[in-house]
Amino acid sequence: ILNVEQSPQSLHVQEGDSTNFTCSFPSSNFYALHWYRWETAKSPEALFVMTLNGDEKKKGRISATLNTKEGYSYLYIKGSQPEDSATYLCAPYNTDKLIFGTGTRLQVFP
Amino acid sequence: GAVVSQHPSWVICKSGTSVKIECRSLDFQATTMFWYRQFPKQSLMLMATSNEGSKATYEQGVEKDKFLINHASLTLSTLTVTSAHPEDSSFYICSAPISGRAMDTQYFGPGTRLTVL
C-alpha cells in the first residue's frame, strides 16, 4: 500500500495569518497530484490537479507547488479567513487510482 | 460546476439487513463512478470502480458479493451493502469525473454515514 502523508494533522490559525501544509507521496510511478477542500457536512471540492514537476497553481488566496522528483507538494493559504476552515486532502494518482492522505484539518479563528 | 448527489446522507440499520446507497451525477453523464469508504481517523480508501453498463472493478480485499454495485445508467450508480454487520459501519462516499478518467478532477457526493446496530 502506497503511503501518502499529510502534515500537520491539524492547524489552528488566527484570521489574517498565512499558513501552509505538506503532502508527501512516493515519487515513483507518479502521474498527477490532486488537492481537495472538504468542509464539514459538504462534498469535497477540487482545488488543483497538478502534473508537472515544478508546477505552481493558484486559486484566489490558495496556491500549491509540486515536486515530483522528491515526492512532495505544498499548499499555501494567504491571509486565512474563517471560511477557509476545512480539511484539505491531497491524493496522488498512482497505480491507476487516487490514494488519499488523511488530510490537514485547518481551523481559522476570527 | 459539476454536482454529484448521494442518498441517503445517513442510515441506521440492524445487523443482517441490506442497505442501498445511491450516487447521482446531476448535470453531467458519468460513465465511471468511484466508491470510497472512510473509517474514523483514516483516509478515503477506494473500494470499487463502477462502470456504466459493465461489471464493477473491486479493490483487493473488498468483497464483491457483499458490496454490490450497479451502474445501470449514465447518471446513477448504487452501492448495496448486503447482510450488513457492525464492522461495515463507516462513511461511504462516491465520486465521478466528467472525463471518465480517475486521474482527472473528481466531483464528490456528500457521503453516507452507515451505522449497523
Side-chain angles (χ1 to χ4, degrees):
Chain A
I1 298 177
L2 297 174
N3 195 30
V4 178
E5 293 193 3
Q6 290 190 249
S7 61
Q9 283 189 334
S10 65
L11 198 52
H12 301 82
V13 302
Q14 206 71 33
E15 182 177 356
D17 288 349
S18 293
T19 186
N20 65 85
F21 13 98
T22 306
C23 172
S24 300
F25 53 87
S27 55
S28 59
N29 298 317
F30 175 85
Y31 189 89
L33 190 282
H34 293 217
W35 280 101
Y36 292 88
R37 173 171 60 198
W38 194 359
E39 294 179 63
T40 303
K42 294 187 177 179
S43 303
E45 173 195 354
L47 289 173
F48 308 112
V49 177
M50 309 172 79
T51 57
L52 299 176
N53 184 45
D55 205 2
E56 182 170 344
K57 294 208 171 185
K58 191 174 180 181
K59 186 176 183 178
R61 293 178 292 98
I62 304 176
S63 61
T65 61
L66 178 66
N67 183 319
T68 62
K69 293 184 178 179
E70 295 182 42
Y72 65 84
S73 176
Y74 294 137
L75 190 80
Y76 302 90
I77 302 178
K78 185 178 178 182
S80 303
Q81 300 296 308
E83 57 264 32
D84 296 327
S85 298
T87 296
Y88 291 82
L89 301 176
C90 73
Y93 178 79
N94 195 307
T95 57
D96 300 324
K97 60 183 172 234
L98 289 177
I99 315 271
F100 283 85
T102 51
T104 292
R105 185 174 178 184
L106 173 67
Q107 285 188 278
V108 183
F109 295 103
Chain B
V3 180
V4 174
S5 70
Q6 213 173 313
H7 179 81
S9 55
W10 59 269
V11 57
I12 301 172
C13 69
K14 291 183 179 180
S15 186
T17 60
S18 295
V19 174
K20 181 186 283 189
I21 302 170
E22 294 185 347
C23 177
R24 290 182 187 273
S25 56
L26 299 185
D27 51 3
F28 67 100
Q29 293 184 330
T31 55
T32 304
M33 290 183 170
F34 301 95
W35 286 96
Y36 294 85
R37 179 169 54 181
Q38 184 183 40
F39 291 108
K41 298 189 185 297
Q42 295 187 23
S43 61
L44 293 175
M45 294 290 289
L46 181 66
M47 296 176 66
T49 301
S50 173
N51 304 297
E52 188 268 334
S54 64
K55 289 183 179 180
T57 306
Y58 291 83
E59 294 298 301
Q60 194 172 9
V62 177
E63 299 174 58
K64 62 180 181 181
D65 295 330
K66 181 168 187 61
F67 298 99
L68 300 180
I69 290 174
N70 185 283
H71 195 150
S73 78
L74 285 171
T75 59
L76 175 64
S77 174
T78 59
L79 169 68
T80 301
V81 183
T82 62
S83 186
H85 290 284
E87 57 266 29
D88 299 322
S89 297
S90 188
F91 184 78
Y92 294 85
I93 191 167
C94 66
S95 76
I98 292 177
S99 68
R101 304 190 307 173
M103 72 276 287
D104 292 334
T105 299
Q106 299 295 310
Y107 297 91
F108 283 86
T112 298
R113 174 77 57 192
L114 170 63
T115 302
V116 185
L117 302 176

